[in-house]
């Protein structure tokens, strides 16, 4: 294990989904706090623009394509001998059910499976640094999920809202299971709800989701990207076990309740095993 980072030394913080929204806001805030931020985004132009604006490195990957996630993991491993924080922030809401080139429902893949794969491919880096893994989840995990461990691809039942809620619940279950499987190796994990963020987040959604995020009246009720980014940055800068609880789920920087399913260790373990099978990984204990 590499020596722990001293309080006055910068951490290396990888943020996915950082080309816009709360990811970009958190990247700027963490750079101002003196941290080394690695900006990861899907759009090359916007990702470069965010990174150059704060003088930090960047990488491009579309989480709807798992081959690009694997290539991203190789790039990160080659470029950064130490990763202190991995913030799995990429994701989105979609309209009609869409299947990716990898054969998985798009909401589930972009919000959970891709992050699961990336995190596992970086496992030795995370263990070596005693890193923190942060998941951007949502209150949708409690409000909209209809979680079925035997229908992760939503082949039997699909709606944009339930698919998103299920994926955000998967983020929390993944957080709990990281703590169970890797906690003794020094890896900590937490999930959080950033707020209902006023950004381009739901640009591909339809119906009430698109209305809420794009209507000029309802959009005034949304949380700013700076506030949402600050909640990610708070976890990234905090010390697990001191500033935030191992395996905790946070709303406005406070422990919060979520779906009762998130507390089920059997479902968390089965999700890990099914996810590993889907992306072609061995099951690590």
């Amino acid at each position: 294990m590499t020596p722990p980072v001293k309080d006055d030394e910068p951490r290396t913080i990888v943020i996915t989904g950082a080309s816009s929204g709360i990811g970009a806001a958190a990247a700027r805030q963490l750079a101002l706090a003196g941290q080394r931020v690695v900006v990861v985004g899907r759009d090359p132009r916007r990702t470069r623009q965010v990174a150059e604006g704060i003088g930090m490195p960047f990488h491009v990957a579309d989480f709807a394509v798992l081959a690009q996630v694997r290539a991203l993991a190789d790039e990160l491993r080659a470029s950064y001998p130490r990763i202190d924080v991995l913030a799995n922030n990429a994701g989105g809401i979609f309209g009609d059910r869409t299947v990716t080139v990898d054969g998985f429902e798009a909401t589930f893949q972009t919000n959970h499976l891709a992050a699961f794969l990336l995190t596992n491919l970086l496992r030795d880096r995370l263990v070596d640094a005693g890193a923190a893994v942060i998941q951007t989840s949502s209150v949708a995990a409690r409000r909209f999920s209809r979680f079925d461990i035997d229908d992760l691809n939503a082949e039997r039942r699909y709606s944009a809202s339930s698919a998103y809620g299920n994926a955000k619940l998967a983020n929390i279950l993944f957080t709990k299971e990281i703590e169970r499987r890797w906690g003794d190796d020094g890896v900590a994990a937490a999930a959080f709800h950033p707020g209902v963020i006023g950004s381009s987040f739901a640009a591909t959604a339809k119906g009430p989701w698109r209305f809420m995020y794009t209507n000029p009246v309802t959009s005034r009720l949304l949380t700013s990207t700076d506030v949402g980014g600050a909640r990610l940055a708070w976890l990234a800068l905090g010390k697990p076990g001191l500033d935030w609880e191992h395996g905790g789920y946070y709303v406005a920087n406070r422990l919060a309740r979520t779906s009762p399913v998130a507390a089920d260790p059997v479902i968390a373990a089965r999700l890990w095993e099914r996810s590993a099978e889907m992306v072609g990984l061995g099951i690590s204990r």
Side-chain angles (χ1 to χ4, degrees):
M1 179 176 287
T2 57
V5 173
K6 297 178 182 179
D7 289 342
D8 60 348
E9 292 179 338
R11 295 180 175 99
T12 298
I13 302 172
V14 177
I15 306 177
T16 69
S19 61
S20 62
I22 68 167
R28 288 190 288 268
Q29 293 163 8
L30 289 165
L32 285 172
Q35 307 305 303
R36 184 188 192 194
V37 181
V38 180
V39 178
V40 178
R42 179 175 61 88
D43 182 274
R45 181 187 62 81
R46 292 192 301 175
T47 304
R48 176 188 291 274
Q49 187 176 50
V50 171
E52 290 182 346
I54 58 176
M56 296 292 170
F58 73 95
H59 301 265
V60 176
D62 184 347
F63 276 25
V65 183
L66 292 183
Q68 293 191 29
V69 178
R70 293 180 182 276
L72 171 64
D74 289 341
E75 291 176 15
L76 295 174
R77 291 173 59 83
S79 302
Y80 312 103
R82 179 186 187 101
I83 296 174
D84 297 289
V85 178
L86 171 61
N88 288 317
N89 174 67
I93 302 171
F94 301 91
D96 298 331
R97 184 179 183 275
T98 303
V99 176
T100 69
V101 294
D102 301 290
F104 305 118
E105 191 276 313
T107 314
F108 183 67
Q109 176 167 325
T110 55
N111 288 275
H112 167 68
L113 268 187
F116 176 87
L117 176 60
L118 179 64
T119 305
N120 274 271
L121 293 175
L122 296 176
R123 182 183 187 278
D124 61 340
R125 286 285 190 277
L126 301 173
V127 169
D128 193 46
V133 179
I134 299 168
Q135 314 282 349
T136 300
S137 183
S138 170
V139 293
R142 176 166 55 89
R143 294 179 180 172
F144 304 120
S145 61
R146 302 289 184 272
F147 199 79
D148 184 349
I149 193 66
D150 296 315
D151 189 28
L152 296 176
N153 265 324
E155 294 173 314
R156 294 195 293 268
R157 180 179 182 179
Y158 176 86
S159 74
S161 294
S162 63
Y164 183 66
N166 291 341
K168 295 292 100 179
L169 178 54
N171 295 154
I172 302 172
L173 289 164
F174 182 35
T175 296
K176 303 285 188 183
E177 197 65 3
I178 287 174
E179 285 285 348
R180 189 185 76 79
R181 293 178 186 245
W182 300 354
D184 288 345
D185 295 324
V187 178
F192 77 107
H193 168 59
V196 183
I197 303 298
S199 70
S200 59
F201 173 71
T204 59
K206 296 181 179 179
W209 285 100
R210 185 174 181 84
F211 176 82
M212 181 176 69
Y213 280 90
T214 60
N215 182 275
V217 175
T218 58
S219 62
R220 295 175 186 173
L221 305 176
L222 303 181
T223 304
S224 74
T225 55
D226 283 340
V227 171
R231 290 167 180 167
L232 191 162
W234 176 76
L235 288 167
L237 292 173
K239 293 183 178 179
L242 181 62
D243 299 310
W244 50 263
E245 184 177 297
H246 289 259
Y249 167 71
Y250 285 82
V251 175
N253 298 358
R254 295 182 179 181
L255 278 172
R257 293 192 307 167
T258 184
S259 167
V261 178
D264 189 330
V266 175
I267 293 296
R270 288 189 64 192
L271 175 63
W272 186 292
E273 291 159 4
R274 287 287 293 116
S275 299
E277 292 170 1
M278 292 167 113
V279 300
L281 291 177
I283 300 173
S284 58
R285 296 291 178 183

